Amino acid sequence: MDETLTRINEGVQLHHQQGRREAARDLFARIWSEIGGERGDPLHVCVLAHSMADVQDDVHEELLWDQRALAAADLLTDDRVAQAGVPMSVAALYPSLHLNLGECYRRLGDLDRARECLRRARAGIGALGDDAYGQLIRGGLDRLAQQLG
């Protein structure tokens, strides 16, 4: 497994398993600096920005990180993802990325953009497996759809 992805995962664990949001944010900031920020490896940028968005206190900051993650995903190849030992295609990343963006736009009151993100996420849903991750993302999309009425 890729060392940088392992460290990002440690931050995700700090946040989700230990409830140490601030410690996760600090670790993510250090890694961001080490990889060269947005100039880093698109896989690292995508995964790190996606994770960093989750530990923001301000929805505007969360949106910026989610936008960085999406931009980096657009530079990724399936070969690079496989090389890092990530068991999914680039296409399988998009539903989650669009879900997070849609949720930010909903919270900011930009419902048209939120609906567009929901539409894009659903358009890519076929790339998800019928596993826990796929079910998690589908559930999130259903909740977003309900909230958007």
Side-chain angles (χ1 to χ4, degrees):
M1 181 62 132
D2 181 293
E3 184 185 324
T4 301
L5 293 181
T6 299
R7 289 183 61 220
I8 294 167
N9 191 49
E10 288 167 10
V12 171
Q13 301 303 316
L14 276 174
H15 176 219
H16 290 291
Q17 264 64 49
Q18 300 176 34
R20 297 177 56 205
R21 189 179 168 102
E22 199 118 330
R25 190 168 40 224
D26 290 346
L27 176 58
F28 293 152
R30 282 196 308 277
I31 298 169
W32 184 254
S33 177
E34 290 165 17
I35 67 169
E38 291 172 67
R39 293 179 315 282
D41 177 329
L43 178 61
H44 297 156
V45 172
C46 180
V47 175
L48 182 55
H50 195 45
S51 301
M52 183 64 121
D54 289 343
V55 295
Q56 298 305 305
D57 296 324
D58 177 85
V59 68
H60 295 93
E61 284 296 308
E62 184 178 342
L63 178 62
L64 282 174
W65 285 106
D66 282 332
Q67 289 169 331
R68 287 179 181 125
L70 182 64
D74 289 341
L75 303 174
L76 271 175
T77 64
D78 285 335
D79 284 346
R80 173 64 187 108
V81 173
Q83 176 201 349
V86 177
M88 64 172 52
S89 67
V90 173
L93 298 173
Y94 283 99
S96 178
L97 295 169
H98 287 298
L99 168 61
N100 286 11
L101 282 166
E103 182 56 30
C104 285
Y105 286 127
R106 182 195 67 77
R107 288 171 33 222
L108 289 168
D110 190 342
L111 302 187
D112 288 340
R113 274 201 176 138
R115 286 186 187 96
E116 176 59 19
C117 290
L118 178 62
R119 187 193 66 70
R120 286 179 174 200
R122 284 187 164 157
I125 204 92
L128 293 177
D130 190 24
D131 54 8
Y133 176 75
Q135 291 164 6
L136 177 75
I137 302 307
R138 286 182 184 90
L141 293 172
D142 291 345
R143 275 189 303 286
L144 180 58
Q146 286 174 342
Q147 291 168 327
L148 292 172

PDB file of all heavy atoms in Angstrom, residues 81-102:
ATOM      1  N   VAL A  81      -4.440   4.345  -9.890  1.00  0.00           N
ATOM      2  CA  VAL A  81      -5.211   3.883  -8.735  1.00  0.00           C
ATOM      3  C   VAL A  81      -4.841   2.431  -8.409  1.00  0.00           C
ATOM      4  O   VAL A  81      -4.576   2.090  -7.250  1.00  0.00           O
ATOM      5  CB  VAL A  81      -6.731   4.035  -9.003  1.00  0.00           C
ATOM      6  CG1 VAL A  81      -7.555   3.410  -7.903  1.00  0.00           C
ATOM      7  CG2 VAL A  81      -7.086   5.523  -9.144  1.00  0.00           C
ATOM      8  N   ALA A  82      -4.774   1.598  -9.434  1.00  0.00           N
ATOM      9  CA  ALA A  82      -4.415   0.185  -9.240  1.00  0.00           C
ATOM     10  C   ALA A  82      -2.990   0.051  -8.712  1.00  0.00           C
ATOM     11  O   ALA A  82      -2.720  -0.765  -7.826  1.00  0.00           O
ATOM     12  CB  ALA A  82      -4.571  -0.573 -10.558  1.00  0.00           C
ATOM     13  N   GLN A  83      -2.076   0.861  -9.242  1.00  0.00           N
ATOM     14  CA  GLN A  83      -0.672   0.838  -8.826  1.00  0.00           C
ATOM     15  C   GLN A  83      -0.558   1.112  -7.325  1.00  0.00           C
ATOM     16  O   GLN A  83       0.302   0.554  -6.649  1.00  0.00           O
ATOM     17  CB  GLN A  83       0.104   1.883  -9.628  1.00  0.00           C
ATOM     18  CG  GLN A  83       1.554   2.054  -9.238  1.00  0.00           C
ATOM     19  CD  GLN A  83       2.126   3.409  -9.675  1.00  0.00           C
ATOM     20  OE1 GLN A  83       1.500   4.138 -10.434  1.00  0.00           O
ATOM     21  NE2 GLN A  83       3.298   3.726  -9.189  1.00  0.00           N
ATOM     22  N   ALA A  84      -1.454   1.951  -6.794  1.00  0.00           N
ATOM     23  CA  ALA A  84      -1.426   2.296  -5.364  1.00  0.00           C
ATOM     24  C   ALA A  84      -2.144   1.247  -4.513  1.00  0.00           C
ATOM     25  O   ALA A  84      -2.173   1.359  -3.292  1.00  0.00           O
ATOM     26  CB  ALA A  84      -2.077   3.655  -5.153  1.00  0.00           C
ATOM     27  N   GLY A  85      -2.728   0.237  -5.161  1.00  0.00           N
ATOM     28  CA  GLY A  85      -3.410  -0.819  -4.430  1.00  0.00           C
ATOM     29  C   GLY A  85      -4.826  -0.458  -4.004  1.00  0.00           C
ATOM     30  O   GLY A  85      -5.387  -1.082  -3.110  1.00  0.00           O
ATOM     31  N   VAL A  86      -5.404   0.557  -4.653  1.00  0.00           N
ATOM     32  CA  VAL A  86      -6.777   0.965  -4.335  1.00  0.00           C
ATOM     33  C   VAL A  86      -7.720   0.095  -5.172  1.00  0.00           C
ATOM     34  O   VAL A  86      -7.626   0.088  -6.397  1.00  0.00           O
ATOM     35  CB  VAL A  86      -7.001   2.464  -4.640  1.00  0.00           C
ATOM     36  CG1 VAL A  86      -8.441   2.869  -4.371  1.00  0.00           C
ATOM     37  CG2 VAL A  86      -6.034   3.315  -3.818  1.00  0.00           C
ATOM     38  N   PRO A  87      -8.613  -0.661  -4.503  1.00  0.00           N
ATOM     39  CA  PRO A  87      -9.434  -1.642  -5.220  1.00  0.00           C
ATOM     40  C   PRO A  87     -10.698  -1.057  -5.867  1.00  0.00           C
ATOM     41  O   PRO A  87     -11.783  -1.585  -5.707  1.00  0.00           O
ATOM     42  CB  PRO A  87      -9.810  -2.630  -4.107  1.00  0.00           C
ATOM     43  CG  PRO A  87      -9.898  -1.770  -2.883  1.00  0.00           C
ATOM     44  CD  PRO A  87      -8.835  -0.713  -3.055  1.00  0.00           C
ATOM     45  N   MET A  88     -10.561   0.052  -6.587  1.00  0.00           N
ATOM     46  CA  MET A  88     -11.710   0.596  -7.309  1.00  0.00           C
ATOM     47  C   MET A  88     -11.237   1.397  -8.508  1.00  0.00           C
ATOM     48  O   MET A  88     -10.066   1.758  -8.592  1.00  0.00           O
ATOM     49  CB  MET A  88     -12.599   1.456  -6.396  1.00  0.00           C
ATOM     50  CG  MET A  88     -11.929   2.701  -5.862  1.00  0.00           C
ATOM     51  SD  MET A  88     -13.030   3.847  -4.964  1.00  0.00           S
ATOM     52  CE  MET A  88     -13.816   2.828  -3.768  1.00  0.00           C
ATOM     53  N   SER A  89     -12.149   1.675  -9.411  1.00  0.00           N
ATOM     54  CA  SER A  89     -11.831   2.472 -10.589  1.00  0.00           C
ATOM     55  C   SER A  89     -11.966   3.953 -10.249  1.00  0.00           C
ATOM     56  O   SER A  89     -12.615   4.326  -9.262  1.00  0.00           O
ATOM     57  CB  SER A  89     -12.796   2.127 -11.725  1.00  0.00           C
ATOM     58  OG  SER A  89     -14.110   2.548 -11.375  1.00  0.00           O
ATOM     59  N   VAL A  90     -11.393   4.795 -11.090  1.00  0.00           N
ATOM     60  CA  VAL A  90     -11.555   6.240 -10.930  1.00  0.00           C
ATOM     61  C   VAL A  90     -13.042   6.588 -10.990  1.00  0.00           C
ATOM     62  O   VAL A  90     -13.537   7.401 -10.206  1.00  0.00           O
ATOM     63  CB  VAL A  90     -10.764   7.009 -12.018  1.00  0.00           C
ATOM     64  CG1 VAL A  90     -11.066   8.498 -11.952  1.00  0.00           C
ATOM     65  CG2 VAL A  90      -9.268   6.755 -11.874  1.00  0.00           C
ATOM     66  N   ALA A  91     -13.778   5.939 -11.894  1.00  0.00           N
ATOM     67  CA  ALA A  91     -15.208   6.224 -12.052  1.00  0.00           C
ATOM     68  C   ALA A  91     -15.980   6.020 -10.747  1.00  0.00           C
ATOM     69  O   ALA A  91     -16.959   6.726 -10.475  1.00  0.00           O
ATOM     70  CB  ALA A  91     -15.796   5.348 -13.158  1.00  0.00           C
ATOM     71  N   ALA A  92     -15.522   5.086  -9.926  1.00  0.00           N
ATOM     72  CA  ALA A  92     -16.209   4.801  -8.665  1.00  0.00           C
ATOM     73  C   ALA A  92     -15.993   5.899  -7.621  1.00  0.00           C
ATOM     74  O   ALA A  92     -16.699   5.936  -6.607  1.00  0.00           O
ATOM     75  CB  ALA A  92     -15.750   3.452  -8.114  1.00  0.00           C
ATOM     76  N   LEU A  93     -15.044   6.802  -7.863  1.00  0.00           N
ATOM     77  CA  LEU A  93     -14.809   7.913  -6.942  1.00  0.00           C
ATOM     78  C   LEU A  93     -15.836   9.035  -7.129  1.00  0.00           C
ATOM     79  O   LEU A  93     -16.179   9.741  -6.181  1.00  0.00           O
ATOM     80  CB  LEU A  93     -13.410   8.497  -7.156  1.00  0.00           C
ATOM     81  CG  LEU A  93     -12.219   7.583  -6.909  1.00  0.00           C
ATOM     82  CD1 LEU A  93     -10.929   8.280  -7.351  1.00  0.00           C
ATOM     83  CD2 LEU A  93     -12.140   7.177  -5.448  1.00  0.00           C
ATOM     84  N   TYR A  94     -16.313   9.198  -8.360  1.00  0.00           N
ATOM     85  CA  TYR A  94     -17.148  10.362  -8.681  1.00  0.00           C
ATOM     86  C   TYR A  94     -18.479  10.446  -7.930  1.00  0.00           C
ATOM     87  O   TYR A  94     -18.855  11.544  -7.501  1.00  0.00           O
ATOM     88  CB  TYR A  94     -17.369  10.466 -10.190  1.00  0.00           C
ATOM     89  CG  TYR A  94     -16.159  11.014 -10.907  1.00  0.00           C
ATOM     90  CD1 TYR A  94     -15.257  10.174 -11.542  1.00  0.00           C
ATOM     91  CD2 TYR A  94     -15.896  12.384 -10.921  1.00  0.00           C
ATOM     92  CE1 TYR A  94     -14.128  10.670 -12.183  1.00  0.00           C
ATOM     93  CE2 TYR A  94     -14.770  12.891 -11.561  1.00  0.00           C
ATOM     94  CZ  TYR A  94     -13.895  12.028 -12.190  1.00  0.00           C
ATOM     95  OH  TYR A  94     -12.775  12.529 -12.817  1.00  0.00           O
ATOM     96  N   PRO A  95     -19.210   9.362  -7.746  1.00  0.00           N
ATOM     97  CA  PRO A  95     -20.475   9.517  -7.002  1.00  0.00           C
ATOM     98  C   PRO A  95     -20.276  10.115  -5.609  1.00  0.00           C
ATOM     99  O   PRO A  95     -21.036  11.005  -5.195  1.00  0.00           O
ATOM    100  CB  PRO A  95     -21.030   8.085  -6.945  1.00  0.00           C
ATOM    101  CG  PRO A  95     -20.493   7.439  -8.179  1.00  0.00           C
ATOM    102  CD  PRO A  95     -19.090   8.014  -8.310  1.00  0.00           C
ATOM    103  N   SER A  96     -19.233   9.690  -4.906  1.00  0.00           N
ATOM    104  CA  SER A  96     -18.951  10.226  -3.580  1.00  0.00           C
ATOM    105  C   SER A  96     -18.513  11.685  -3.654  1.00  0.00           C
ATOM    106  O   SER A  96     -18.947  12.526  -2.840  1.00  0.00           O
ATOM    107  CB  SER A  96     -17.871   9.382  -2.901  1.00  0.00           C
ATOM    108  OG  SER A  96     -17.548   9.911  -1.643  1.00  0.00           O
ATOM    109  N   LEU A  97     -17.662  12.002  -4.619  1.00  0.00           N
ATOM    110  CA  LEU A  97     -17.191  13.383  -4.776  1.00  0.00           C
ATOM    111  C   LEU A  97     -18.360  14.322  -5.071  1.00  0.00           C
ATOM    112  O   LEU A  97     -18.477  15.399  -4.482  1.00  0.00           O
ATOM    113  CB  LEU A  97     -16.140  13.459  -5.889  1.00  0.00           C
ATOM    114  CG  LEU A  97     -14.834  12.713  -5.615  1.00  0.00           C
ATOM    115  CD1 LEU A  97     -13.985  12.640  -6.880  1.00  0.00           C
ATOM    116  CD2 LEU A  97     -14.057  13.365  -4.485  1.00  0.00           C
ATOM    117  N   HIS A  98     -19.238  13.909  -5.977  1.00  0.00           N
ATOM    118  CA  HIS A  98     -20.409  14.738  -6.312  1.00  0.00           C
ATOM    119  C   HIS A  98     -21.403  14.808  -5.158  1.00  0.00           C
ATOM    120  O   HIS A  98     -22.026  15.855  -4.942  1.00  0.00           O
ATOM    121  CB  HIS A  98     -21.077  14.235  -7.593  1.00  0.00           C
ATOM    122  CG  HIS A  98     -20.299  14.528  -8.827  1.00  0.00           C
ATOM    123  ND1 HIS A  98     -20.006  15.816  -9.252  1.00  0.00           N
ATOM    124  CD2 HIS A  98     -19.718  13.718  -9.737  1.00  0.00           C
ATOM    125  CE1 HIS A  98     -19.293  15.782 -10.364  1.00  0.00           C
ATOM    126  NE2 HIS A  98     -19.100  14.507 -10.677  1.00  0.00           N
ATOM    127  N   LEU A  99     -21.545  13.718  -4.417  1.00  0.00           N
ATOM    128  CA  LEU A  99     -22.420  13.728  -3.239  1.00  0.00           C
ATOM    129  C   LEU A  99     -21.938  14.778  -2.242  1.00  0.00           C
ATOM    130  O   LEU A  99     -22.732  15.585  -1.738  1.00  0.00           O
ATOM    131  CB  LEU A  99     -22.443  12.339  -2.580  1.00  0.00           C
ATOM    132  CG  LEU A  99     -23.087  12.244  -1.190  1.00  0.00           C
ATOM    133  CD1 LEU A  99     -24.549  12.663  -1.231  1.00  0.00           C
ATOM    134  CD2 LEU A  99     -22.939  10.821  -0.645  1.00  0.00           C
ATOM    135  N   ASN A 100     -20.637  14.786  -1.947  1.00  0.00           N
ATOM    136  CA  ASN A 100     -20.100  15.745  -0.979  1.00  0.00           C
ATOM    137  C   ASN A 100     -20.280  17.180  -1.463  1.00  0.00           C
ATOM    138  O   ASN A 100     -20.648  18.062  -0.682  1.00  0.00           O
ATOM    139  CB  ASN A 100     -18.623  15.455  -0.699  1.00  0.00           C
ATOM    140  CG  ASN A 100     -18.448  14.228   0.172  1.00  0.00           C
ATOM    141  OD1 ASN A 100     -19.377  13.467   0.406  1.00  0.00           O
ATOM    142  ND2 ASN A 100     -17.244  14.032   0.645  1.00  0.00           N
ATOM    143  N   LEU A 101     -20.023  17.419  -2.741  1.00  0.00           N
ATOM    144  CA  LEU A 101     -20.234  18.762  -3.296  1.00  0.00           C
ATOM    145  C   LEU A 101     -21.703  19.159  -3.194  1.00  0.00           C
ATOM    146  O   LEU A 101     -22.024  20.283  -2.800  1.00  0.00           O
ATOM    147  CB  LEU A 101     -19.782  18.808  -4.760  1.00  0.00           C
ATOM    148  CG  LEU A 101     -18.289  18.919  -4.991  1.00  0.00           C
ATOM    149  CD1 LEU A 101     -17.949  18.609  -6.438  1.00  0.00           C
ATOM    150  CD2 LEU A 101     -17.776  20.305  -4.610  1.00  0.00           C
ATOM    151  N   GLY A 102     -22.585  18.230  -3.550  1.00  0.00           N
ATOM    152  CA  GLY A 102     -24.022  18.508  -3.495  1.00  0.00           C
ATOM    153  C   GLY A 102     -24.478  18.850  -2.089  1.00  0.00           C
ATOM    154  O   GLY A 102     -25.297  19.758  -1.886  1.00  0.00           O
TER     155      GLY A 102
END
